[in-house]
Amino acid sequence: MIQSLHILQDCAYFLTAVLLCLLSAIILQHKKNRSQGSDPSLGEAKKKAKDRSSGGKLIEWTPIDFKYPAITPCNMELADIKPIPYRPFRWGPYHVTMGIRSMNWDDWIELDNQYDRYQRIRAHRILTRDEKVVRVLDDIPRVVRGGGQAAIELVHELAEYLSKRYPLSFRVTRHSPETRSKCQFGWEGAPPIKTITVVPLNATHELPLDLHDGECAAKRAMTISALLVQDDLAIMIEGRDGRHYFQAGAICVPGFWQMEHKIGKTLDEIHLSGHVPQYQEKLQPSLERFFRRLSVDKPVVRNNYFIQLVGSRSDEKLDPDELAWSYTTNGPEDGFEHGDRFAPHDRPEPRPEILRLRTERQTLRRLPKSGAVIFTIRTYVVPIEELVKEAGVAGRLASAIESWPDEVVEYKGRERLGWRRTLMEYLERNDDIG
């Protein structure tokens, strides 16, 4: 019999909720850092980060020559790596605090045997939607820097990491040693990476070194980043007013929101416009202060979940699970307005075979050179019919869904999408499986 208990989770499947949830991690990490003392290799930069968050005049970010921990090679072909079965729901009371944990550097980017399929979808989205999915904003004078320099730093960070973590799947060439004095993106004192080859796709990308390295260098860097990983990527830049702005992104498979509605906004604007439950009551007053305290050496990770419906579309062969855009949930992507989530349209009656568990694995880290804050958002879509085959999962999921408070019910569309009764009955019937 499925128990009716509560769950420790929020509903952060949009980028807005990514920011909200990861804030809790920043708070926990800050407390931990204070108790453990400073890392000598980051001492001065950490001191300035603390000064920035204590009020008064804004102190510009100081670039850090960060020494990364050794990355453990994963000596497997991507085709042999199974997706990690994240199931971010459990028995227990509902709280605002998230299931946050520190992130091991080995786990920054997780790739698996879905890589080819994801990249076909992502490449199609970039080709057909262009700046609606990949965009880099310019400077806003006297307000905030553009996202270009951070975008270039990010693609070098990804290339360094992927070539070390997945050596069978990513190969790099480097510039001459003389380039090292002009550009210090190379890890461990090496010259910066010139090209990266994605072996499974037989695709080679040349990385720009700076904003003037060829036409649209920043956007090229952001596009390459999107074509290297299965994650969506968002870059937040601290402005002169001490607030963080969403200044660049590669948001190819968000499912339920559009980058054009978020790009250029501050954290507060993103949260408030997204109607994130309990944001104003719990976290708004201290969000920016803790965001500024995020340290380069303390990345964090968390997961969330959502129930999604899928239907029959013209692009069914390319994206049958509606990874990129949930048409069945929200209707046509073109013409979608911010706030139109779950708007009525001709969606199919909920049936177990069209229900999916959609989960996100989200990481948050700060880049050492630009000081930009990077979000990665990896999405997994699992058929409910497959999910219930796992021991104990049906009962836990049912308990979680039944425990949502009213604002979470609305935010996740439990009643408006009409799947609650169908899913709960199906989970009840399959509670003993496994």
Side-chain angles (χ1 to χ4, degrees):
M1 184 67 180
I2 296 176
Q3 302 179 41
S4 296
L5 300 177
H6 297 286
I7 184 170
L8 174 65
Q9 275 300 331
D10 201 347
C11 48
Y13 55 89
F14 296 162
L15 174 64
T16 62
V18 178
L19 302 178
L20 171 66
C21 298
L22 289 171
L23 172 64
S24 298
I26 300 167
I27 297 172
L28 294 176
Q29 287 295 337
H30 165 64
K31 292 179 179 179
K32 182 177 179 181
N33 291 347
R34 290 186 64 182
S35 65
Q36 293 181 345
S38 299
D39 181 342
S41 66
L42 303 173
E44 185 61 24
K46 283 190 172 183
K47 180 179 181 298
K48 290 188 176 183
K50 182 177 180 181
D51 291 342
R52 286 205 318 277
S53 65
S54 62
K57 182 180 178 180
L58 175 67
I59 298 176
E60 293 293 333
W61 176 257
T62 302
I64 296 172
D65 186 16
F66 180 57
K67 183 178 180 180
Y68 286 86
I71 304 299
T72 305
C74 175
N75 292 311
M76 298 175 63
E77 303 285 355
L78 296 187
D80 297 326
I81 302 175
K82 295 181 179 180
I84 297 175
Y86 290 111
R87 306 294 181 254
F89 40 82
R90 68 185 189 185
W91 308 99
Y94 178 89
H95 296 289
V96 174
T97 54
M98 302 299 105
I100 298 291
R101 57 204 182 274
S102 298
M103 185 188 77
N104 188 307
W105 282 104
D106 286 347
D107 302 327
W108 180 32
I109 301 296
E110 294 181 346
L111 304 179
D112 54 48
N113 60 19
Q114 297 183 11
Y115 186 83
D116 286 3
R117 180 171 71 88
Y118 273 55
Q119 289 303 349
R120 285 195 299 272
I121 295 171
R122 296 170 71 79
H124 176 76
R125 297 276 290 175
I126 293 170
L127 178 65
T128 59
R129 302 197 69 80
D130 193 26
E131 286 200 344
K132 291 186 177 180
V133 298
V134 178
R135 193 173 175 189
V136 180
L137 297 186
D138 293 329
D139 294 352
I140 302 177
R142 296 180 295 279
V143 177
V144 64
R145 289 177 290 120
Q149 192 59 43
I152 292 173
E153 181 181 7
L154 174 60
V155 77
H156 282 269
E157 291 281 286
L158 287 170
E160 291 282 0
Y161 172 86
L162 293 171
S163 63
K164 291 173 173 58
R165 179 60 173 157
Y166 303 99
L168 300 183
S169 301
F170 298 90
R171 297 172 184 167
V172 299
T173 65
R174 295 185 181 273
H175 287 274
S176 65
E178 290 76 18
T179 310
R180 183 168 43 203
S181 61
K182 302 177 183 178
C183 176
Q184 300 181 1
F185 288 139
W187 286 10
E188 300 171 354
I193 289 175
K194 182 177 182 180
T195 66
I196 182 168
T197 297
V198 185
V199 176
L201 304 181
N202 192 28
T204 298
H205 306 282
E206 184 168 352
L207 310 189
L209 289 174
D210 56 47
L211 294 174
H212 307 290
D213 188 1
E215 185 178 359
C216 301
K219 187 178 179 183
R220 280 192 294 115
M222 202 74 240
T223 301
I224 294 169
S225 292
L227 296 174
L228 292 178
V229 299
Q230 292 168 255
D231 305 61
D232 277 349
L233 305 161
I235 296 177
M236 305 295 294
I237 305 290
E238 185 177 358
R240 293 185 64 181
D241 57 2
R243 300 188 294 172
H244 282 75
Y245 292 75
F246 180 17
Q247 290 294 87
I251 310 296
C252 300
V253 293
F256 308 102
W257 62 281
Q258 296 174 332
M259 184 170 65
E260 61 189 300
H261 297 142
K262 308 290 185 182
I263 193 80
K265 293 183 181 295
T266 66
L267 289 179
D268 270 356
E269 291 168 339
I270 289 171
H271 284 86
L272 293 172
S273 66
H275 306 293
V276 176
Q278 302 185 32
Y279 169 69
Q280 287 181 288
E281 300 89 338
K282 300 289 184 179
L283 295 172
Q284 184 179 16
S286 58
L287 186 143
E288 283 290 356
R289 177 167 59 90
F290 285 107
F291 221 73
R292 290 196 296 272
R293 286 178 178 247
L294 179 61
S295 175
V296 169
D297 63 337
K298 299 294 184 183
V300 295
V301 61
R302 59 92 56 192
N303 302 82
N304 66 21
Y305 72 99
F306 178 75
I307 301 299
Q308 176 178 322
L309 286 73
V310 301
S312 178
R313 298 290 300 143
S314 60
D315 58 355
E316 182 176 1
K317 291 184 178 179
L318 176 66
D319 188 11
D321 289 324
E322 301 185 16
L323 176 72
W325 177 255
S326 184
Y327 175 91
T328 308
T329 298
N330 286 319
E333 185 172 10
D334 292 315
F336 176 84
E337 296 293 336
H338 184 52
D340 279 356
R341 286 187 297 135
F342 321 136
H345 68 280
D346 187 20
R347 62 171 63 94
E349 283 294 319
R351 306 183 308 276
E353 59 266 30
I354 70 169
L355 297 179
R356 302 289 185 269
L357 173 72
R358 186 182 182 108
T359 68
E360 291 178 350
R361 176 186 182 267
Q362 308 155 352
T363 76
L364 177 68
R365 59 162 296 199
R366 189 182 291 280
L367 296 181
K369 304 300 183 185
S370 64
V373 176
I374 305 299
F375 289 95
T376 71
I377 312 162
R378 168 64 196 279
T379 301
Y380 299 80
V381 180
V382 183
I384 291 294
E385 290 181 322
E386 295 297 319
L387 190 72
V388 297
K389 297 176 183 178
E390 302 174 14
V393 167
R396 284 190 4 241
L397 179 58
S399 171
I401 292 169
E402 288 292 83
S403 73
W404 294 346
D406 290 343
E407 65 268 33
V408 175
V409 168
E410 174 63 19
Y411 196 67
K412 292 196 178 189
R414 189 184 74 184
E415 307 303 328
R416 291 174 65 184
L417 292 175
W419 49 258
R420 175 178 176 269
R421 180 176 178 179
T422 297
L423 178 58
M424 298 304 293
E425 290 178 352
Y426 185 73
L427 294 176
E428 179 81 31
R429 293 196 303 270
N430 290 275
D431 192 24
D432 294 332
I433 292 180

